[in-house]
Every structure is written in C-alpha cells, then in structure tokens.
Amino acid sequence: MSEERAESAGAGISRRRLFEVMGLSALGVAGVATLDGCSKATPKGSSGGGKKEFHGAFPYQSPPDGVFNEGGQPFAGLPNSIQGGSPYLDLMMMPCALYHWKAKKWEYYLAESSAFASDGSTFTVKLKSGLTWSNGKPLTSQDLLTTLYVGRILNGPVWSSISKLEAPDKQTLVVHLQNPSAVIDRYVLRANVLDTGTYGTWADQSKALADAGKDMASAENKALNAKFTKFRPKAMVACGPYIIDPKSITDSRMTLVKNPKGYGASTAKFDSVVLYNGETPAVAPLVRGKDIDYATHGFTVAQEKSFVAQGYRILRPPNYSGPALYINYDQLKEFSDPRVRQALAMAINRKTNGEVALGKSGVGVKYMAGFSDIQVPDWMAASDVSKLQTYDYDQAKAAQLLTAAGWKKQGSTWHLPNGKPASYTIKYPAEYADWSASGDDVASQLSSFGIKLQAQGVTFNQFVVQIDKGNFELAIEQWGSSQHPHPYFAFVTDLFTYNYPIAINNGGKGINFNLKVNTKATGPLDLQKVVNASGQGLDVAQQKTNITKAALAFNELLPIIPLFERYGNNPVLDGDRVKKMPPASDPDILNSAYADNFVIMGLLAGTIEPV
C-alpha cells in the first residue's frame, strides 16, 4: 500500500477499507493531493512557535468530497470518510482497546475490562469512569450502543452474532450472542466509538428495525443505509487526545490539535499531529525532505535507499496480506474453469513479482491458502498443510492446464475455446507504487506467456468503486487481512469484501464469484457459511476444522490469486521532531500497522515523545 483498506472490513478507500469490512456475516460496507503548500522539515520538534509536532502521512479526501461521517469504522465504514481506515483515527475517535499481537492481550483505553461469560453467551465491556467527549458531554455505555447500532445500518459483520444489546448502567455494555464468537471481542473493543449526540437518532432508527425483526438485508435497512451514507456531520466530536482542526484541512495536509477533554490528553506528549495527504508518489518527496517522522506507504526499493541516505531507519513489520490478481467472473466466463486460474498461478513468478514491487519487503506467497503463510502452521495440521498446492512457477504445466481447459496456443498468443484471442486490461491503483509495480509485472509476465494484458492505472480513490461495481476485467486488489491475527478476517477479504456479499454496499457485485462450490478436497461447500463458522465458537479445534476446509477449497479454486505477502518498509526518523522511534526489536512491531499500529500506541502511552 500505502494504506491498507481494512482494511475497512473497513472503511476507507481502497486498501484502507480492509481492514474495515472484515465480518462475521460478510455483510459489511464499504484526488491525490498536490503538495505544493508543504513546508520544509520542522527542526527539533518545533513548529516555529515552540509547539511539539509529530508528522505522519495517510491518504484522505478533503471536504466537500471527504466527510466527517466516521460511522462503522474500522469494520464497515464509508469510503469517503475523512479519516476512514487511517490508524490516526484511533487518536481521535478512540476504540475501547488495541491489541498486542505478540503478547496476545488487549491494551485497554476507554474500557477498564472485558470478559466473555463462561458459556460464551455474552460479552461484557466495562468503561472507565470520567470519560468525556470534546464537546464536554460524558462518554457512557450509551455511546457504545450507538456505535454498534450505527454499524448495523452499515451491515456491520458483528451483527451476525448479536441477539441483543443492553446497557444496565452508564459504564457497562452487555452484548448477548446468538452463538459464541471467537472474534466478537475484536469487533466490539476495536470499534471507533461514536458520540450519541451526533449519531443517536440514526442509532434509534436502527434499533427500531432490529427490535422489529428486520434484518440487515431488509428493504427497510437498505433504505436507512442509503440515507445514512448521505449523512454529513458538521464536525468531528472526539474522545481521544487529538481532534481535527477543520480550518487546517487542505488538499495537502491537516492538523490534529490537542483535545484537552479527551482520554490520554495528559499522556500524549505532542501538542499536535500533522498529517500529510497522498499516496506514495506524493509522500516520498516529503520523506526525503524529512517532513515525515513515520509512514506506512509501499515505497519502492530506490525510494527506500534514498530514505536511508537521509538518516531514516526502515522497519519491516509483517502485514499479513498483500496484492492479488482479481478476475471479473461476470465479464470473463472463460475463467470460470478453476484449471484456468491454476494455470495463471503457475504462469506468474510470484517471487519475482514481490521483489519487483518491494525488494526485501515483497515475499512471494507459498501456500496459497488465503491467509498469511506466517499463520498457516498455527491453524492447520501438518497433514493438511501438505495437501496445499504451492503452484510453483512452471509455465509448461500452466500451458498443459490451459490446453486441458480448451484453450489453444496459436503463435505467441493463447486463444479461448471460442477462438477469441486472450487479451485483457488489468487495472490497479495508480498511486500505490508497490501495487502498480506488481500489476505492471503481471502484465509483462502473462503477456510474454501469451495472455496479452494492457496495464491501466486508476486514481486510487476511484479504484475501489470500479472494482465493487464490476467495471474491470482483471485487477490488483488485496488478499489477506491486516486487521487481526485470525484467518477468518483474511477469508472475509478474499471472498466477501470485493465480492457480492459486501460489494453490494457500493452498488455492485464485485468479482461475483459464487461462494457455493464443489471441490475435490472438500466436496460441496458453502464458503460463506464455512468462513463465518471459522470465526464462531470458543472451541479452537472446531475453528481450525473450518479454517482448514476454507483453506483447502481456496487453494484448489483460487477465486483470487495471491501474489506476494507484503512486509512493511516503513521509514522512521529519530532525533528531529521525535526523540527516538521504537527499535526493530520492539514486540509491538509485529502488530499490523493498519490495525493496532505500534506508533499510535506509543503516542497514546507517551513512549514516543518529542525531542
């Protein structure tokens, strides 16, 4: 990336939605700035008036295209929210907690504690007392109710497990579960909390539909969804140590100023956080000029070397995801035969693709299981791992598979069973340097193989809409998840986010891959049910059973074709504005930068401090 799209099971735009739309029900939602006004690096932590500034970077849309509606973040947010998908949103509309991936424990912020009932029937969150919004109103359990009910409007995946919500007192939220869920804590604790003053009327309407038994697929909820996506709050109401200064927002930068009423305001040591806008091409010059203290963008190998020459360190945290080749099954019926997709996997040298895109930080996918190679041994038995086809680079075997599927090679070009030459356009977000390089390399490799591809870059803030609406033939989009160390989230990205279960929120069907499948490895299978089941229950052995089924089916069918796993090549700058950024040995470096960002946690704790 630059910026993942939880992800955004959630949220955000492009890779930022990821993390963002990762869900139990698989029913979540979904202009590069010119930096002509950017200042030179501010020396020794000063902004010229003695203020201590931290300088970061993340793409955003400035008003009027960008809006202050951050509902549903990070798992089911809106594509045009100003800070949707950005880790910096956690400094403003804070979550109850963030997660330490290596230690496997929560760091509580707004919450004091959380716990499942012994039988898994409820999940209870206790808020800290004395919490306050930036407008002076108290933050209570009602705001947690508001947050979850607004998430339901946006088809939030958490709602496939919720049977009832209640707030018995101002500090307590009780989530009643239809069935125990292994990831429910993630959805509840990690959600960016919304204030009832701004979002309460929407939450009330959502609750009324829930109480009336209207599910998220109902016409009533769809109508409410359509109205809510047009909601334009006038400003942000924050509960964290920082808040956007709306007057500071330009196409090139914005400033987060101290929110003295927010949680952590006395602990966070910087007076303000300056965020520069843009994807890799716009941000790289700012890093070279030492205007940036930390960036998560997907920089090229040459850019990385230039940063080191300027005094930056490069951190390489795992991202647990990367780019994949996506196919529009509505338009390209010839790819409905899995042998054709298997052939593509073997016709592309994934190791080369990763190195071309990111050097040491691009590692070709080995297991093709649908989730990170790092995690495969933890979730699958060795006997099942051995069943995974690795689709090693072998263009001769790829040719055999295509021939078996009815394709014919005539001269230097493959022809479809109907005789038409195999020629396509492959799209990718133009501003993502790593994905652009990956897409260009795929086009080059497959064209040499005989499947002619024309590469086309698309402005990143339009790219996701085109994918969701099916306005593409082939594309480079995300596989895996940077949101949570559970394979369930990865499968949601692979199978739901840019497919009909979630792309519907953007008015389309995405790749439109049918999730009711029949495989040699598993027999008839409903992948949507299996993936959802993999995140449910508290029985880890049963979770592994479902994860293994999904992995074996994914490996055989390759509905998308993972290319490489991305490791960060994140530049960090010591001694200018920041005293010392964390060392590579810090265990929180193993956190995903796009979910539980170690820099955000350091800023909140005050361990990342000004010079």
Side-chain angles (χ1 to χ4, degrees):
M1 172 172 165
S2 153
E3 319 316 338
E4 296 275 352
R5 210 166 77 97
E7 251 136 25
S8 136
I13 51 181
S14 192
R15 275 182 284 190
R16 294 191 287 152
R17 185 171 74 173
L18 194 143
F19 332 95
E20 358 176 62
V21 276
M22 322 288 182
L24 280 174
S25 66
L27 289 173
V29 170
V32 176
T34 56
L35 299 175
D36 53 323
C38 294
S39 64
K40 295 297 183 182
T42 308
K44 298 301 178 187
S46 169
S47 64
K51 297 290 186 180
K52 305 296 184 180
E53 292 180 348
F54 179 90
H55 286 198
F58 209 89
Y60 63 82
Q61 297 183 74
S62 57
D65 294 330
V67 301
F68 282 108
N69 188 349
E70 303 290 353
Q73 305 292 352
F75 298 112
L78 301 172
N80 59 339
S81 57
I82 291 178
Q83 281 292 305
S86 168
Y88 295 96
L89 183 62
D90 292 337
L91 295 175
M92 297 171 276
M93 301 174 76
M94 290 188 67
C96 287
L98 294 173
Y99 195 66
H100 296 282
W101 288 41
K102 182 176 177 60
K104 295 181 173 59
K105 68 177 184 179
W106 288 100
E107 179 78 29
Y108 290 108
Y109 297 114
L110 303 182
E112 182 177 90
S113 65
S114 67
F116 283 98
S118 59
D119 61 357
S121 62
T122 62
F123 179 68
T124 300
V125 179
K126 290 282 188 179
L127 284 175
K128 292 174 179 174
S129 60
L131 299 173
T132 306
W133 290 101
S134 54
N135 60 10
K137 294 182 179 180
L139 190 158
T140 70
S141 55
Q142 180 61 49
D143 297 303
L144 299 186
L145 291 176
T146 293
T147 301
L148 290 172
Y149 278 117
V150 167
R152 191 180 193 275
I153 298 173
L154 295 169
N155 304 309
V158 66
W159 278 91
S160 67
S161 288
I162 293 176
S163 61
K164 184 176 68 171
L165 297 176
E166 62 176 337
D169 59 57
K170 291 184 178 182
Q171 311 308 130
T172 307
L173 170 75
V174 181
V175 182
H176 293 262
L177 303 174
Q178 298 176 23
N179 43 59
S181 169
V183 296
I184 198 74
D185 57 342
R186 185 70 180 172
Y187 285 116
V188 176
L189 295 176
R190 188 63 189 80
N192 294 98
V193 179
L194 306 177
D195 71 295
T196 302
T198 301
Y199 293 92
T201 56
W202 296 101
D204 290 343
Q205 294 175 74
S206 178
K207 182 179 185 302
L209 292 180
D211 291 346
K214 302 293 183 180
D215 63 25
M216 291 183 289
S218 68
E220 291 86 350
N221 195 66
K222 289 179 180 178
L224 185 58
N225 176 295
K227 292 178 181 178
F228 182 73
T229 57
K230 297 176 182 178
F231 177 47
R232 302 290 185 265
K234 295 181 179 179
M236 172 181 284
V237 179
C239 57
Y242 297 97
I243 188 170
I244 295 173
D245 175 4
K247 295 179 181 179
S248 75
I249 302 174
T250 69
D251 287 342
S252 61
R253 60 181 280 177
M254 71 169 67
T255 300
L256 315 183
V257 296
K258 236 357 176 4
N259 169 27
K261 296 183 176 66
Y263 178 88
S266 61
T267 306
K269 296 181 179 179
F270 287 89
D271 297 308
S272 61
V273 175
V274 175
L275 296 181
Y276 289 96
N277 188 19
E279 269 298 341
T280 305
V283 170
L286 297 174
V287 179
R288 283 194 294 268
K290 291 190 174 183
D291 283 293
I292 305 292
D293 299 313
Y294 165 72
T296 59
H297 295 58
F299 297 106
T300 66
V301 175
Q303 288 169 339
E304 181 183 316
K305 290 180 179 178
S306 72
F307 301 159
V308 172
Q310 292 296 317
Y312 282 85
R313 289 187 290 122
I314 304 297
L315 297 178
R316 301 188 192 280
N319 278 254
Y320 305 93
S321 66
L325 179 62
Y326 276 59
I327 299 163
N328 186 333
Y329 293 98
D330 259 355
Q331 292 188 26
L332 308 180
K333 304 299 184 184
E334 59 269 28
F335 288 94
S336 61
D337 188 329
R339 292 174 295 182
V340 176
R341 306 193 294 271
Q342 293 166 0
L344 291 181
M346 289 190 287
I348 299 169
N349 188 325
R350 300 189 297 276
K351 179 176 183 294
T352 297
N353 190 259
E355 291 174 346
V356 165
L358 281 174
K360 295 179 181 179
S361 294
V363 179
V365 176
K366 176 182 178 181
Y367 290 121
M368 308 291 274
F371 62 102
S372 171
D373 285 345
I374 302 169
Q375 300 168 317
V376 165
D378 293 334
W379 290 94
M380 297 180 67
S383 58
D384 289 314
V385 174
S386 68
K387 299 175 186 177
L388 297 172
Q389 300 296 317
T390 55
Y391 299 103
D392 298 332
Y393 177 59
D394 190 330
Q395 292 195 340
K397 288 185 178 179
Q400 291 174 6
L401 280 173
L402 285 181
T403 300
W407 293 42
K408 294 181 180 180
K409 188 79 173 285
Q410 297 179 16
S412 62
T413 302
W414 282 99
H415 287 66
L416 311 183
N418 64 8
K420 181 181 177 181
S423 178
Y424 309 100
T425 296
I426 180 171
K427 293 183 177 182
Y428 50 73
E431 295 82 7
Y432 295 177
D434 51 344
W435 285 18
S436 296
S438 175
D440 286 340
D441 181 66
V442 167
S444 176
Q445 289 197 45
L446 289 183
S447 292
S448 296
F449 176 62
I451 299 175
K452 307 302 180 182
L453 298 188
Q454 178 66 42
Q456 180 183 345
V458 178
T459 299
F460 75 100
N461 56 3
Q462 297 296 320
F463 181 70
V464 170
V465 175
Q466 291 195 22
I467 301 303
D468 284 349
K469 290 184 178 297
N471 296 332
F472 72 101
E473 292 181 323
L474 302 175
I476 299 295
E477 247 301 350
Q478 181 184 330
W479 69 267
S481 171
S482 298
Q483 277 303 286
H484 189 69
H486 193 294
Y488 156 77
F489 289 85
F491 286 124
V492 168
T493 301
D494 300 341
L495 301 173
F496 305 157
T497 300
Y498 305 102
N499 199 9
Y500 58 85
I502 290 177
I504 189 174
N505 288 298
N506 235 347
K509 296 180 289 185
I511 62 175
N512 202 29
F513 179 83
N514 190 346
L515 295 173
K516 293 183 178 179
V517 301
N518 192 354
T519 74
K520 296 176 182 177
T522 64
L525 201 67
D526 186 327
L527 276 172
Q528 190 163 359
K529 290 183 179 179
V530 169
V531 169
N532 287 339
S534 75
Q536 295 172 348
L538 302 180
D539 184 344
V540 175
Q542 185 59 44
Q543 292 173 38
K544 289 182 177 181
T545 296
N546 285 306
I547 287 165
T548 297
K549 286 181 182 179
L552 291 173
F554 181 93
N555 179 261
E556 180 180 326
L557 297 177
L558 296 179
I560 62 174
I561 301 171
L563 297 170
F564 65 83
E565 188 156 356
R566 182 184 171 224
Y567 286 71
N569 56 351
N570 306 154
V572 294
L573 183 63
D574 300 320
D576 194 340
R577 286 166 296 271
V578 180
K579 184 180 293 185
K580 181 73 173 179
M581 294 290 279
S585 59
D586 189 315
D588 283 337
I589 297 295
L590 293 178
N591 288 8
S592 167
Y594 302 117
D596 302 275
N597 186 286
F598 73 96
V599 170
I600 300 301
M601 296 176 84
L603 290 171
L604 289 169
T607 55
I608 295 178
E609 55 186 328
V611 295

